[in-house]
Amino acid sequence: MPTVEEMLARTDWPGRTSVFQALGQRWQIMTDDPDLAGFLDELYAVMAVDPPPGDAGAGEAVYRVVPPHGGQQGIVLRGEQTIGSPFSRSHTMGLLQWAVNRQVIEHACTQRLVLHAGGVVRDGAAVVLPAEMESGKTTLTTGLLDRGLHYLSDEAVAVDDDLAVEGYAKPLSIDRGSWEVLAHHRPLLSDALEAYIRSQWQVPAQTIAPVADGGRLAALVLPRYEAGAQTRVERLTGADAVAALVGCVFSPLGLTIPTARVQLLTRLVLAVPVHRLVSGDLDAACAEVERILAEVS
């Protein structure tokens, strides 16, 4: 069996994805596992673009992925930079998605306000769901898609000065804690491919609901899942609303949030309602988001 170094030296990668683009960034993935390349093409299909004329197909970032083989650790690289050496196929997928997310978001947040948020759209009106990690935003976003809303993102939403929003339509990353309530979205894959999602399901949103090109910001809802909690909604205004949102703003690596972004946040809380939503029940949380959307629409 060839070593990782021998695999990386090859030029005839058997697995090569389409070129993808989101929030102004392009990328492509090459791997020695053709089945993985096909799976990634399905996951990122809504972001596939034609390469520029004269381009061999490479994106602005090219990832090379060698999953673990025969007891050897694998490797994930962006260009010549090593992202990590995965010890399992599930770890391989986690490292790759972390790297792609970081590339897309870091570039976008140098130019725009980008919120760590889920986002859904109905009839052009967008509800953005800013939240810290492990707050339940992916679960809530998926529940809203099940109710017929269209998908923006479960990770990052950019908001412009005119309240137009653009999402990062990555596959939904569903953690173990939500597998029971979202069991109907369990991917049906071969054993070899299922090994890539054993710690976190990856579900292409277009298999659940349409993906929105964008929308106009209608409301901000900050969700937090608390097991067993009664569903409650609190309207936030003024400085409280800005303070709650600042913690969900992506900033350029190593830099504080630019003053212009904080000023835009202040404009947002004056222009659209901001609510905090605490719930231990997915159906009840979805109903509250739909109620808020109906009121502003």
Side-chain angles (χ1 to χ4, degrees), residues 14-33:
R16 186 186 295 261
T17 69
S18 304
V19 178
F20 308 111
Q21 180 171 303
L23 298 180
Q25 285 292 286
R26 290 191 300 129
W27 71 96
Q28 186 182 35
I29 303 161
M30 297 186 295
T31 175
D32 69 325
D33 182 351

Side-chain angles (χ1 to χ4, degrees), residues 205-279:
Q206 68 271 15
T207 64
I208 305 174
V211 175
D213 293 332
R216 182 172 178 80
L217 182 64
L220 292 154
V221 179
L222 291 90
R224 186 172 75 246
Y225 170 78
E226 292 183 2
Q230 291 292 318
T231 301
R232 59 186 186 272
V233 178
E234 175 189 6
R235 176 76 182 264
L236 301 178
T237 59
D240 290 339
V242 174
L245 290 169
V246 161
C248 303
V249 175
F250 285 111
S251 59
L253 186 63
L255 300 177
T256 57
I257 300 171
T259 301
R261 305 290 190 274
V262 179
Q263 291 173 339
L264 179 52
L265 281 182
T266 303
R267 289 181 52 204
L268 295 185
V269 303
L270 294 173
V272 303
V274 182
H275 294 84
R276 178 179 284 119
L277 168 63
V278 178
S279 182

Side-chain angles (χ1 to χ4, degrees), residues 4 8 13 29-31 36 62-68 73-100 196:
V4 169
L8 291 176
W13 288 83
I29 303 161
M30 297 186 295
T31 175
L36 174 59
V62 176
Y63 295 87
R64 291 179 291 164
V65 179
V66 179
Q73 283 189 283
I75 191 166
V76 178
L77 299 99
R78 179 172 56 217
E80 299 303 318
Q81 176 189 5
T82 299
I83 302 300
S85 297
F87 50 81
S88 68
R89 295 202 165 195
S90 181
H91 189 202
T92 302
M93 179 65 78
L95 282 173
L96 175 63
Q97 290 210 311
W98 175 84
V100 171
Y196 286 106

Side-chain angles (χ1 to χ4, degrees), residues 113-187:
L113 172 64
V114 182
L115 295 172
H116 185 210
V120 292
V121 175
R122 174 174 284 164
D123 298 328
V127 178
V128 174
L129 310 166
E132 298 178 354
M133 292 180 63
E134 309 303 326
S135 296
K137 64 181 182 300
T138 294
T139 305
L140 179 56
T141 299
T142 307
L144 290 165
L145 298 184
D146 281 337
R147 288 170 170 247
L149 281 78
H150 295 189
Y151 182 64
L152 281 172
S153 185
D154 75 338
E155 179 70 17
V157 178
V159 186
D160 293 334
D161 291 351
D162 60 358
L163 303 189
V165 299
E166 180 182 359
Y168 169 32
K170 60 176 285 296
L172 294 150
S173 299
I174 301 176
D175 292 328
R176 283 182 178 272
S178 297
W179 286 3
E180 183 176 352
V181 71
L182 297 176
H184 52 295
H185 292 307
R186 176 175 180 170

Side-chain angles (χ1 to χ4, degrees), residues 22-57:
L23 298 180
Q25 285 292 286
R26 290 191 300 129
W27 71 96
Q28 186 182 35
I29 303 161
M30 297 186 295
T31 175
D32 69 325
D33 182 351
D35 291 337
L36 174 59
F39 183 41
L40 291 168
D41 265 328
E42 292 177 14
L43 292 179
Y44 290 99
V46 295
M47 295 181 282
V49 296
D50 293 328
D55 191 295

